[in-house]
Amino acid sequence: MGLQRSPFEAASTGPQTSSTAGGWQGESPAEEARLPPIQRLRRAESRRWPLPPGAGRSCPQKSAETLSSQYGLHLLLAGLLLMFAWAVHAVGVAKSAVLAYLLSLMALQLLWMVWYLGRRCAHKRLIQDKDTQAGARWLKCGITLFAIITLIMDSFKIGYFIGFSSCLSITEGIFPVAHAVHTVLQVYFLWCHAKDVIQSFKTLERFGVIHSVFTNLLLWTNGILAESKHQLNEHKERLITLGFGNISIELDDHTPLCNCTSATLCSIFSQGIYYLYPFNTEYHILASTMLYVVWKNIGRKVEYLQPHKRPFKFQGTAIGSTLGLVVFITTIAVVVVYLIQIGRSKLKSELALIMFYLYAITVLALMCAAGLVAILIYRLEDNSLDISKNPARKLDADLLVGTASGSWLLSWGSILAIIYAQSHPAYTWFSLPYSVLVIIEKYIQNLFIIESIHREHGKNNYDIKTLRILTVSSGSNLSPTASYKEIYNGTNGKLSPTFYGNSYPSEDSSSCALRENINQSRIPVPPSSPDFSFTWRKFSVNSKRSILKNVAVFLFLCNLSLWIPQAFGCRPEYDNGLEEMVFGFEPWIIVVNLAMPFSIFYRMHSAASLFEVSCKM
Amino acid sequence: MGLQRSPFEAASTGPQTSSTAGGWQGESPAEEARLPPIQRLRRAESRRWPLPPGAGRSCPQKSAETLSSQYGLHLLLAGLLLMFAWAVHAVGVAKSAVLAYLLSLMALQLLWMVWYLGRRCAHKRLIQDKDTQAGARWLKCGITLFAIITLIMDSFKIGYFIGFSSCLSITEGIFPVAHAVHTVLQVYFLWCHAKDVIQSFKTLERFGVIHSVFTNLLLWTNGILAESKHQLNEHKERLITLGFGNISIELDDHTPLCNCTSATLCSIFSQGIYYLYPFNTEYHILASTMLYVVWKNIGRKVEYLQPHKRPFKFQGTAIGSTLGLVVFITTIAVVVVYLIQIGRSKLKSELALIMFYLYAITVLALMCAAGLVAILIYRLEDNSLDISKNPARKLDADLLVGTASGSWLLSWGSILAIIYAQSHPAYTWFSLPYSVLVIIEKYIQNLFIIESIHREHGKNNYDIKTLRILTVSSGSNLSPTASYKEIYNGTNGKLSPTFYGNSYPSEDSSSCALRENINQSRIPVPPSSPDFSFTWRKFSVNSKRSILKNVAVFLFLCNLSLWIPQAFGCRPEYDNGLEEMVFGFEPWIIVVNLAMPFSIFYRMHSAASLFEVSCKM
């Protein structure tokens, strides 16, 4: 039967039948390109015939997937609990225990990466499957930028350790050195292999990649924890300045117990480290997501898609860019003023809060309006969605909704606090529209981004080579018979099964239902001048596209701007005070510290997604 | 082109082209059954030709999915924060606020369900798509059982309210009444419509179903919260008895402030409620998962699969059942002794703990061994996996790994506590093998279940109608030319594109690559007597199947058994004391209260999955 092998056949043909069912289905596109055209055509067609379920995937591979994901979860859980134990000052759990755990994870990842890179170098001639939709160039550039800042942070940490070397554990000196080596090698790995679709040593590679994913996730958590502790200490210091004595205030591992050999340098290092932490955490979470896509791609059968390099052009995005840049500059100004004013005195704190709320409300309202316009335009266009399998895109969409939940939780906290608070100082009322707008803005923006990344933007574009073939319908005499047939040459490489160029199926292939489809497609066009209609549509499509592009660029810059206040400690959720009064100091601090990292990551992630959307348009 | 319509065509043919591309692709199987055979054949074939990406799914539907999932998340987040506020005694947030929120959610869900049921009744004649893999009969029976116990709990609550009516808020009286109505209607809804694949009013239905999913999830959380508070109070009472004065002990909303009109009845009610809570929480989480599958199925194009009713038979599972029942009875005895002994005195507590650990270690070791045997058998068989789209199965697999993380977190906590504790009383050492075995057992069990639910159990079964067609290979003279061709008549309805019965593709269809596959499939069978090989294989397969079935039944009963101690408050993680010493009382209580509900749900969920696996075998 071919499509469904009997156990007898499976036994006689050995293991290769289960790993690559269909024989040549596992060949790389480059190898296939060397074949004569007729054979290529046949293969393209037969690929459309679905294999029986499971033929492309053997049991051990499914097991390896479950095994490795469970292994990764254990790494994460053990690490999280260790950090939790350190954070709650568990008996006997020192910072060095956490660092030692992270060091061993990084060492293991380094070993695996060296082995992988070595093997790739040794088998350079072997043609490798690539997932063209994974590891975009701008993503790699972004991660490299963050990695460079991470390296600066590591050097600061080394300097800090040298200064306080007499009273710091040795692991605090080894950690930044190992982390720097890890960062350099990992960035190289991601540059060269983020698109890899691994087809050999699959079980081992699954473990290696998932180990890397969770190592980065734990390094992210470690960064978040250090940053949260720092922010909390700053907040407590402000409360002491403002004279709140009723809250249990104890500062948490602020400075080592000995003197620094060079006090000025140490101060610069310790201050600098905390300004660089946000970039470090972004680096790790981005690396983690990229590696996760590599993991999802292991053993996958990818369709060969022509990679389209669509560099971002600022052309036609003047309004969006200008407005966005205005928001960006305003943000920096607002953050600087906020950080200087907050905690100085009660009045100055309140004024800083009001300023921040007014600024945020304006920006969020503009973003809501822009998002709504874009969605309305989408509703007017009747475009189709690309729902083919794409791990990178699925992860993007899931992360958008998942991480938005972090800031939604904070917003609901603020709303509940306003509802249940017994007294409402004037400035706290600004928190209500702010929280509501945060919810609505992310709701709309997620809708826009998720629809954008699923749209087939090339399909509606009139710049592509459109071939209008006038056919004369023989069966219908109700209407003019012109129908437009578009053959997309290389826009996304997906050609219909039997139409390669314009080769039609032979009359004999009556068992294929394709002819039925052809007849169905001869749908009459209303009898108007096609040229006028075409020009008008082209104009309409172009103007819509221009608006969408401006919206995407504007939202991209706004998200980048809104990342700054949260990442650099401008957090009205702390300073407002209303939530702390209603929920209690500790419960609310726990909520903020759990939700804030996701909220920060959301902004960077949505900015990245919006950049991709602008490039696609 | 047919497969790729130009915007002009889309405009001229109206909206129906975007919603059901391919015209008749959306017809129900029953309607199709009335068609002449040749037409059915064509349809079955053309279904294999993939539609262009997205043709089956329009943009508004993708938007509706995102919109509704985000709406559901907001319901959840607001509800969680409200419960959190109540749990931490936030200023102004009373229990009635939480109940009022839940009441309004339930009322909205009731309205939607009534509307849905009404519309279904009015359009009874319309043939509805069904997902035969969703809402299995045993699942419905299970949920009905839990719902009945929930109704008993509601009546207890009403009785309790009547007793204390003078000092309880009116919402505490309305809640159980509304909850009972909600339960009855929801169980009816799930019985009749759990398999529905909704194809009309999709956007509205999406909101309705996701609202129901999250309402049930919040009712589950509410149950969990009430139960956790009760458990914590019991634990604190035990600590007081044992003379631990150094831990901040304050009992949490234990009894109302007035006297009950009938003290005995009220005592029975309040005690009874807490013994019934575990069933109530299981009911809500099960309902939530069933409704989630309905949500995932909305607008889906399902292939018509013949529903196979495979009732569970005890035949051939004597060893597994007997061993499992022994475990079950032992568990009940151990739990009763544990609950009586714990907290009486230091010695009695320690003895109870040691007894529990020894019992659990034995059971878990047996389960590990059984799971390993099953996985080894799977590795010996070279079976294929069914990786077709199946929301119910995907949810099952995700939930297994996700909820196992809850108990893994607790196990890692115990392991870290043993590593970092400064003193180790003798009985605490039992906690180490127990925790390690909990990790290993769930690791192995998940592997077994996930592989089992993805296996095509029917495929290797020799009871199915197997047709051996001896064909004479014309091209090969190296070996005997017998090849086994199996045509599966109705085992899962999936027939290869052109082989309907034994109709072969015509010689003319040279453009289809199928003939190539046929030639490839003529793989020689080793020259042995086919009859002997067949008999031997049949014996081997049957004995393997018998072992697998015994393992599945044994694990099913063990999981059901292990659900009991956790659900009814036999929690060594509380009573051990080591973790509380290392992490601190409050941090560890937070970890246990967060992780325990998932750990409890894991046992019931894996039991359900294992029951399904036993039925399939």
Side-chain angles (χ1 to χ4, degrees):
Chain A
M1 263 290 281
L3 292 186
Q4 185 60 54
R5 290 174 187 193
S6 81
F8 296 85
E9 289 167 359
S12 59
T13 53
Q16 79 277 11
T17 53
S18 66
S19 63
T20 50
W24 40 262
Q25 295 263 354
E27 265 180 39
S28 80
E31 280 168 6
E32 198 180 310
R34 290 189 222 110
L35 297 169
I38 183 67
Q39 219 162 329
R40 258 186 293 159
L41 174 60
R42 278 199 186 168
R43 289 191 178 192
E45 281 160 6
S46 61
R47 217 170 264 139
R48 308 286 155 177
W49 292 92
L51 288 168
R57 205 146 179 194
S58 63
C59 292
Q61 278 314 309
K62 182 76 200 169
S63 282
E65 205 181 306
T66 316
L67 265 173
S68 61
S69 63
Q70 293 197 108
Y71 161 76
L73 264 178
H74 279 292
L75 288 188
L76 182 73
L77 292 173
L80 283 181
L81 259 184
L82 202 58
M83 287 178 199
F84 176 73
W86 173 57
V88 300
H89 307 284
V91 181
V93 183
K95 194 179 179 181
S96 57
V98 177
L99 294 184
Y101 182 70
L102 292 175
L103 272 173
S104 55
L105 291 187
M106 284 197 290
L108 210 58
Q109 189 191 336
L110 279 175
L111 276 179
W112 176 76
M113 283 198 296
V114 167
W115 176 79
Y116 184 86
L117 293 171
R119 211 166 60 82
R120 275 295 118 102
C121 275
H123 301 87
K124 237 176 186 167
R125 278 166 309 166
L126 266 180
I127 292 130
Q128 175 84 19
D129 278 2
K130 296 272 178 189
D131 177 4
T132 50
Q133 290 153 325
R137 184 176 288 268
W138 55 267
L139 201 62
K140 288 178 189 165
C141 291
I143 213 170
T144 311
L145 179 73
F146 290 137
I148 291 168
I149 302 175
T150 297
L151 289 177
I152 299 171
M153 193 193 79
D154 282 332
S155 62
F156 275 29
K157 276 189 179 173
I158 296 169
Y160 185 79
F161 172 75
I162 293 168
F164 286 106
S165 56
S166 57
C167 60
L168 285 179
S169 137
I170 184 76
T171 46
E172 293 199 42
I174 300 170
F175 185 79
V177 177
H179 190 256
V181 176
H182 179 264
T183 303
V184 171
L185 199 69
Q186 182 166 275
V187 169
Y188 173 75
F189 178 86
L190 288 174
W191 262 100
C192 301
H193 300 286
K195 289 174 187 294
D196 281 13
V197 177
I198 298 167
Q199 300 288 8
S200 57
F201 290 93
K202 281 185 265 192
T203 304
L204 185 67
E205 309 293 30
R206 266 186 205 285
F207 273 88
V209 179
I210 208 77
H211 178 92
S212 313
V213 169
F214 282 98
T215 301
N216 276 286
L217 218 52
L218 279 172
L219 288 168
W220 174 72
T221 319
N222 185 47
I224 290 293
L225 189 62
E227 215 197 334
S228 294
K229 278 200 171 193
H230 176 73
Q231 294 292 344
L232 192 57
N233 280 335
E234 288 211 330
H235 178 51
K236 282 175 178 171
E237 277 172 353
R238 280 178 211 150
L239 287 178
I240 293 168
T241 317
L242 292 174
F244 286 97
N246 54 344
I247 297 163
S248 65
I249 289 168
E250 46 173 274
L251 294 184
D252 211 358
D253 79 335
H254 219 200
T255 39
L257 293 166
C258 58
N259 285 326
C260 179
T261 46
S262 164
T264 339
L265 265 180
C266 281
S267 164
I268 291 172
F269 286 151
S270 80
Q271 284 292 311
I273 287 169
Y274 288 105
Y275 282 106
L276 300 179
Y277 254 122
F279 300 101
N280 171 42
T281 50
E282 289 302 329
Y283 158 69
H284 281 301
I285 194 92
L286 272 180
S288 181
T289 56
M290 284 174 85
L291 287 162
Y292 176 77
V293 172
V294 176
W295 182 75
K296 284 297 275 185
N297 273 335
I298 293 175
R300 206 181 131 206
K301 298 268 173 292
V302 282
E303 276 185 76
Y304 182 68
L305 301 177
Q306 206 132 41
H308 0 267
K309 279 176 189 156
R310 276 178 293 209
F312 178 70
K313 284 173 194 160
F314 267 103
Q315 209 183 345
T317 60
I319 304 167
S321 315
T322 316
L323 265 174
L325 283 174
V326 170
V327 170
F328 190 81
I329 293 159
T330 318
T331 307
I332 292 174
V334 167
V335 169
V336 169
V337 174
Y338 184 94
L339 289 178
I340 292 171
Q341 295 292 312
I342 202 83
R344 288 283 164 111
S345 72
K346 208 165 175 300
L347 185 73
K348 280 184 178 170
S349 290
E350 283 179 16
L351 284 176
L353 273 171
I354 291 174
M355 175 198 68
F356 180 81
Y357 279 133
L358 285 176
Y359 143 81
I361 289 168
T362 318
V363 173
L364 290 170
L366 283 174
M367 288 168 80
C368 286
L372 276 179
V373 167
I375 288 172
L376 276 178
I377 290 176
Y378 276 160
R379 283 292 77 73
L380 293 176
E381 282 183 353
D382 197 28
N383 218 338
S384 64
L385 287 191
D386 171 15
I387 50 159
S388 59
K389 199 180 175 187
N390 182 341
R393 188 174 59 197
K394 188 172 182 325
L395 180 68
D396 277 352
D398 289 350
L399 279 179
L400 276 175
V401 178
T403 56
S405 303
S407 66
W408 285 337
L409 193 74
L410 292 178
S411 294
W412 279 111
S414 300
I415 293 170
L416 285 183
I418 290 167
I419 294 172
Y420 289 105
Q422 258 119 28
S423 69
H424 296 87
Y427 69 94
T428 57
W429 281 111
F430 288 99
S431 158
L432 187 63
Y434 168 72
S435 303
V436 173
L437 276 171
V438 164
I439 292 175
I440 297 174
E441 189 269 321
K442 285 188 180 162
Y443 209 111
I444 294 172
Q445 184 167 287
N446 284 352
L447 268 182
F448 170 62
I449 298 176
I450 292 173
E451 191 161 338
S452 298
I453 57 179
H454 281 89
R455 280 201 157 223
E456 303 185 301
H457 283 285
K459 286 286 160 71
N460 224 357
N461 198 330
Y462 284 81
D463 297 338
I464 55 165
K465 294 167 198 162
T466 305
L467 239 145
R468 284 190 262 165
I469 302 164
L470 236 69
T471 55
V472 179
S473 150
S474 54
S476 160
N477 48 11
L478 280 164
S479 62
T481 54
S483 89
Y484 294 90
K485 302 200 172 186
E486 298 174 343
I487 293 161
Y488 298 96
N489 296 336
T491 44
N492 67 353
K494 281 177 198 151
L495 291 158
S496 67
T498 46
F499 294 84
Y500 242 82
N502 48 6
S503 72
Y504 289 92
S506 70
E507 285 298 309
D508 301 305
S509 61
S510 58
S511 69
C512 301
L514 231 122
R515 285 189 52 78
E516 228 168 86
N517 277 329
I518 299 164
N519 289 327
Q520 280 184 356
S521 77
R522 284 189 194 141
I523 291 149
V525 167
S528 67
S529 159
D531 276 330
F532 170 75
S533 159
F534 184 76
T535 316
W536 182 83
R537 263 195 90 83
K538 192 174 173 179
F539 169 76
S540 154
V541 165
N542 280 347
S543 65
K544 276 183 199 161
R545 198 147 304 278
S546 160
I547 296 173
L548 284 176
K549 197 162 179 170
N550 274 292
V551 166
V553 170
F554 172 67
L555 287 179
F556 161 67
L557 287 166
C558 284
N559 276 285
L560 216 56
S561 309
L562 289 177
W563 177 75
I564 298 168
Q566 292 185 321
F568 293 95
C570 171
R571 298 174 178 180
E573 292 86 0
Y574 273 152
D575 302 310
N576 186 2
L578 199 70
E579 294 91 346
E580 284 169 12
M581 275 201 296
V582 172
F583 287 90
F585 184 75
E586 283 213 336
W588 182 245
I589 292 294
I590 291 172
V591 172
V592 173
N593 280 342
L594 287 179
M596 192 57 91
F598 297 100
S599 180
I600 295 172
F601 175 60
Y602 174 83
R603 286 294 169 202
M604 191 51 87
H605 181 64
S606 58
S609 300
L610 283 161
F611 186 78
E612 199 186 340
V613 170
S614 337
C615 288
K616 265 170 93 178
M617 272 164 185
Chain B
M1 276 277 287
L3 292 186
Q4 186 61 55
R5 289 176 187 190
S6 81
F8 296 84
E9 289 168 357
S12 60
T13 53
Q16 77 278 10
T17 54
S18 66
S19 63
T20 50
W24 40 261
Q25 296 263 353
E27 267 181 39
S28 78
E31 279 167 4
E32 200 180 307
R34 290 189 220 110
L35 296 170
I38 183 69
Q39 219 162 330
R40 258 187 291 160
L41 176 60
R42 278 199 186 168
R43 288 192 178 190
E45 281 161 6
S46 60
R47 218 172 263 138
R48 309 287 155 176
W49 291 93
L51 288 167
R57 203 141 178 200
S58 62
C59 292
Q61 277 314 308
K62 182 75 198 168
S63 284
E65 204 181 307
T66 317
L67 264 173
S68 60
S69 62
Q70 294 197 108
Y71 161 76
L73 265 178
H74 279 290
L75 288 188
L76 181 72
L77 292 173
L80 284 182
L81 259 183
L82 203 58
M83 287 179 200
F84 175 74
W86 173 56
V88 300
H89 307 284
V91 182
V93 182
K95 194 178 179 181
S96 57
V98 177
L99 294 184
Y101 181 70
L102 292 175
L103 273 172
S104 55
L105 291 187
M106 284 197 288
L108 211 58
Q109 189 191 333
L110 280 175
L111 277 179
W112 175 77
M113 284 197 296
V114 167
W115 176 79
Y116 184 86
L117 293 171
R119 211 166 60 81
R120 275 295 117 104
C121 275
H123 301 87
K124 238 176 185 167
R125 279 166 308 165
L126 265 181
I127 291 130
Q128 175 83 21
D129 278 2
K130 296 271 179 190
D131 177 5
T132 49
Q133 291 152 323
R137 185 176 288 268
W138 56 268
L139 201 61
K140 289 178 189 166
C141 291
I143 213 170
T144 311
L145 178 72
F146 291 137
I148 291 168
I149 302 175
T150 298
L151 288 177
I152 298 171
M153 193 193 79
D154 281 331
S155 63
F156 275 29
K157 277 189 180 173
I158 295 168
Y160 186 79
F161 172 75
I162 293 168
F164 287 106
S165 57
S166 58
C167 60
L168 285 179
S169 137
I170 185 76
T171 46
E172 294 199 43
I174 300 170
F175 185 79
V177 177
H179 190 257
V181 176
H182 179 264
T183 303
V184 171
L185 199 69
Q186 183 166 275
V187 169
Y188 174 75
F189 178 87
L190 287 174
W191 262 100
C192 302
H193 300 287
K195 289 175 187 291
D196 281 13
V197 177
I198 298 167
Q199 300 288 9
S200 57
F201 291 94
K202 281 185 264 189
T203 304
L204 185 65
E205 309 293 30
R206 267 187 204 283
F207 274 87
V209 179
I210 207 79
H211 178 93
S212 312
V213 170
F214 283 98
T215 302
N216 275 286
L217 218 52
L218 280 172
L219 288 168
W220 174 71
T221 320
N222 185 47
I224 290 293
L225 189 63
E227 215 197 334
S228 295
K229 279 200 171 193
H230 175 72
Q231 294 292 345
L232 192 56
N233 281 334
E234 287 211 330
H235 178 52
K236 283 176 179 171
E237 278 172 352
R238 280 179 210 149
L239 288 178
I240 293 168
T241 317
L242 292 174
F244 287 97
N246 55 345
I247 297 163
S248 66
I249 290 168
E250 46 173 274
L251 295 184
D252 211 0
D253 78 335
H254 217 201
T255 39
L257 293 167
C258 57
N259 285 326
C260 178
T261 45
S262 164
T264 338
L265 265 179
C266 281
S267 165
I268 292 171
F269 286 151
S270 78
Q271 284 293 313
I273 287 169
Y274 288 106
Y275 282 106
L276 300 179
Y277 254 121
F279 302 100
N280 171 43
T281 51
E282 289 302 329
Y283 158 68
H284 282 301
I285 194 89
L286 271 181
S288 183
T289 55
M290 284 176 84
L291 287 162
Y292 176 77
V293 172
V294 175
W295 182 76
K296 283 298 276 185
N297 273 335
I298 293 174
R300 208 181 131 206
K301 298 268 173 291
V302 282
E303 276 184 76
Y304 182 67
L305 300 178
Q306 206 134 39
H308 359 266
K309 279 175 190 157
R310 276 177 294 210
F312 177 70
K313 284 175 196 157
F314 268 102
Q315 209 183 344
T317 61
I319 304 166
S321 317
T322 315
L323 265 175
L325 283 174
V326 169
V327 170
F328 191 79
I329 293 160
T330 319
T331 308
I332 292 175
V334 167
V335 169
V336 170
V337 174
Y338 184 95
L339 290 178
I340 291 170
Q341 295 293 312
I342 201 86
R344 287 283 163 109
S345 72
K346 209 164 174 302
L347 185 73
K348 281 184 178 172
S349 290
E350 283 179 16
L351 284 175
L353 274 170
I354 291 173
M355 175 199 66
F356 180 81
Y357 279 132
L358 285 176
Y359 145 80
I361 288 168
T362 317
V363 173
L364 289 170
L366 283 174
M367 289 169 78
C368 285
L372 275 179
V373 167
I375 288 172
L376 277 178
I377 291 177
Y378 276 160
R379 281 295 75 74
L380 292 176
E381 283 183 354
D382 196 29
N383 218 337
S384 64
L385 287 191
D386 172 15
I387 50 159
S388 58
K389 200 180 174 187
N390 182 340
R393 188 175 57 197
K394 189 174 181 325
L395 180 67
D396 277 351
D398 289 350
L399 279 180
L400 276 176
V401 179
T403 55
S405 303
S407 67
W408 285 337
L409 193 73
L410 292 178
S411 295
W412 280 110
S414 299
I415 293 170
L416 286 184
I418 290 167
I419 294 173
Y420 290 106
Q422 258 119 25
S423 68
H424 296 89
Y427 68 94
T428 56
W429 282 110
F430 289 99
S431 159
L432 188 64
Y434 169 71
S435 303
V436 172
L437 276 171
V438 164
I439 292 176
I440 296 173
E441 189 270 320
K442 286 188 181 164
Y443 209 110
I444 294 172
Q445 184 168 287
N446 284 351
L447 268 182
F448 170 61
I449 298 176
I450 292 173
E451 190 161 338
S452 297
I453 57 178
H454 280 88
R455 279 198 158 225
E456 302 185 303
H457 283 284
K459 285 287 159 70
N460 223 359
N461 199 331
Y462 285 79
D463 296 338
I464 56 167
K465 294 166 198 162
T466 305
L467 239 145
R468 284 191 262 163
I469 301 165
L470 236 69
T471 55
V472 179
S473 151
S474 53
S476 159
N477 48 10
L478 279 164
S479 62
T481 51
S483 88
Y484 293 91
K485 301 200 171 182
E486 298 174 343
I487 293 158
Y488 297 97
N489 295 336
T491 42
N492 67 353
K494 277 176 201 152
L495 291 157
S496 68
T498 47
F499 294 82
Y500 240 83
N502 49 5
S503 72
Y504 288 85
S506 69
E507 285 298 310
D508 303 303
S509 60
S510 59
S511 69
C512 300
L514 232 121
R515 285 188 54 75
E516 229 168 83
N517 278 329
I518 297 165
N519 289 328
Q520 280 185 357
S521 77
R522 285 190 194 142
I523 291 150
V525 167
S528 68
S529 159
D531 276 330
F532 170 74
S533 158
F534 184 77
T535 316
W536 184 83
R537 262 194 90 83
K538 194 173 172 179
F539 170 75
S540 154
V541 164
N542 280 348
S543 65
K544 277 183 199 161
R545 199 148 304 280
S546 160
I547 296 173
L548 285 175
K549 199 163 177 169
N550 272 294
V551 166
V553 171
F554 173 68
L555 288 179
F556 161 68
L557 285 167
C558 283
N559 275 285
L560 216 57
S561 307
L562 288 177
W563 175 76
I564 299 168
Q566 292 185 321
F568 292 95
C570 172
R571 297 176 180 179
E573 292 85 0
Y574 273 151
D575 302 310
N576 185 2
L578 199 71
E579 294 91 346
E580 283 169 12
M581 274 200 296
V582 173
F583 286 90
F585 184 76
E586 284 214 335
W588 182 246
I589 291 296
I590 291 173
V591 172
V592 173
N593 281 341
L594 287 179
M596 193 54 92
F598 297 100
S599 181
I600 296 172
F601 175 60
Y602 173 83
R603 286 295 168 201
M604 191 50 86
H605 181 64
S606 57
S609 300
L610 283 161
F611 186 77
E612 199 186 340
V613 170
S614 338
C615 289
K616 265 171 93 178
M617 274 165 182

